[in-house]
Amino acid sequence: MHKIDEKLADVTARLQAAAAAASRPDGDITLIAVSKTQSPERVREAYSAGLRRFGENYLQEALDKQHALADLAGIEWHFIGPIQSNKTRAIAEHFSWVHSVDRLKIAERLSAQRPQHLPPLNICLQVNIDREPSKAGVHLAELPALARAVAALPGLSLRGLMAIPAPASEPEAQRQPFNQLAEALKQLKPLGLAAPLDTLSMGMSADLEAAVECGATMVRIGTDLFGPRQSKATSATNTTATTTKDNP
Ligand SMILES: *Cc1c(COP(=O)(O)O)cnc(C)c1O
């Protein structure tokens, strides 16, 4: 078996076990393979292993990869990284989902720039669940107003919430922010927004079990599918410089 097949089998088994422990159907949980810094060849292997949904953080890297993999049918691209406003047009044109919207200006641009011939862009609002000052994400207090405004935008479909909690090793500590995010989604539902609100994008390699236990419907897994990442500086664009540095 190829390495990615084994890793995918491991992750799938973990997801199934976590779903069973929470008495949830495992079909309710969608696996997003986080392929940032991974080469197009690695993504192609992952596709051959059966993966179809890929998460990317860096726009140019993602566009290059999409171009190299344009022959793969049914592949679905998710943008999960920070968004600068000058990048919204390309994101609106080349992705099916964006998990990292945390301000209205970005949502308005994505909506206006979503091509008419494509279905509405699926959106998760990123919540700064630990209220870390340096971190991306809307604070819980501002979430209802942002959700209301985003749900009203014609080019977008507000699917739910996303968070990247501060790393914690104890399951109890991992569950706390996930439960808060699940509760925040629950509280949006009675607002009567024109939005599916069916998605909780939470859980990464180190905490997917806790996330599934707390209701995750999308988990974003990089390391445990592809192995350790190259640092951003050593990926694709900068190979020569790094090779020189590493081999003086
Ligand atoms: C990199 C990244 C992941 C994947 O993290 P792993 O720990 O490698 O599984 C998930 N979500 C986001 C937003 C990321 O940037």
Side-chain angles (χ1 to χ4, degrees):
M1 255 204 305
H2 286 90
K3 218 168 156 209
I4 184 93
D5 292 298
E6 287 168 22
K7 287 180 179 295
L8 175 57
D10 284 349
V11 168
T12 304
R14 285 172 63 193
L15 286 172
Q16 286 170 346
S23 305
R24 301 181 55 201
D26 49 14
D28 286 4
I29 301 146
T30 300
L31 173 58
I32 312 296
V34 176
S35 47
K36 64 181 175 213
T37 83
Q38 307 295 343
S39 66
E41 292 71 32
R42 297 280 285 148
V43 176
R44 195 175 284 279
E45 284 173 36
Y47 180 94
S48 299
L51 288 162
R52 290 294 177 273
R53 298 174 178 88
F54 294 91
E56 290 281 341
N57 294 55
Y58 311 109
L59 179 63
Q60 192 54 52
E61 181 196 325
L63 295 178
D64 291 347
K65 234 174 269 185
Q66 290 177 356
H67 186 70
L69 300 170
D71 58 308
L72 300 183
I75 197 164
E76 185 177 278
W77 295 98
H78 293 236
F79 194 83
I80 62 173
I83 306 171
Q84 297 157 275
S85 45
N86 62 343
K87 304 287 170 63
T88 52
R89 181 176 299 280
I91 292 172
E93 289 174 352
H94 295 282
F95 289 81
S96 299
W97 283 74
V98 181
H99 294 232
S100 43
V101 171
D102 64 359
R103 52 196 208 279
L104 184 57
K105 182 187 168 196
I106 294 293
E108 286 172 340
R109 291 177 63 94
L110 290 170
S111 175
Q113 294 167 343
R114 180 67 169 171
Q116 296 282 341
H117 69 275
L118 295 177
L121 184 59
N122 295 297
I123 299 292
C124 290
L125 299 177
Q126 182 173 353
V127 179
N128 185 348
I129 202 80
D130 305 306
R131 296 201 287 163
E132 293 177 76
S134 61
K135 216 152 129 183
V138 61
H139 286 199
L140 280 176
E142 278 97 54
L143 176 62
L146 180 62
R148 238 183 243 289
V150 171
L153 295 171
L156 308 183
S157 174
L158 179 58
R159 299 298 297 269
L161 305 178
M162 183 274 243
I164 311 171
S169 46
E170 295 302 318
E172 172 72 35
Q174 292 177 347
R175 281 192 298 265
Q176 204 222 334
F178 292 149
N179 278 325
Q180 275 182 287
L181 195 72
E183 183 58 31
L185 183 67
K186 211 161 131 193
Q187 289 182 6
L188 291 181
K189 291 184 180 169
L191 298 183
L193 309 179
L197 295 177
D198 55 1
T199 302
L200 274 173
S201 170
M202 59 189 196
M204 316 199 319
S205 294
D207 54 16
L208 73 84
E209 283 85 0
V212 168
E213 188 179 340
C214 299
T217 65
M218 282 189 172
V219 294
R220 309 177 312 271
I221 310 296
T223 308
D224 285 358
L225 285 172
F226 291 104
R229 275 184 289 280
Q230 297 186 302
S231 71
K232 173 79 168 113
T234 60
S235 70
T237 49
N238 211 7
T239 324
T240 319
T242 313
T243 310
T244 314
K245 204 171 82 196
D246 289 347
N247 304 293

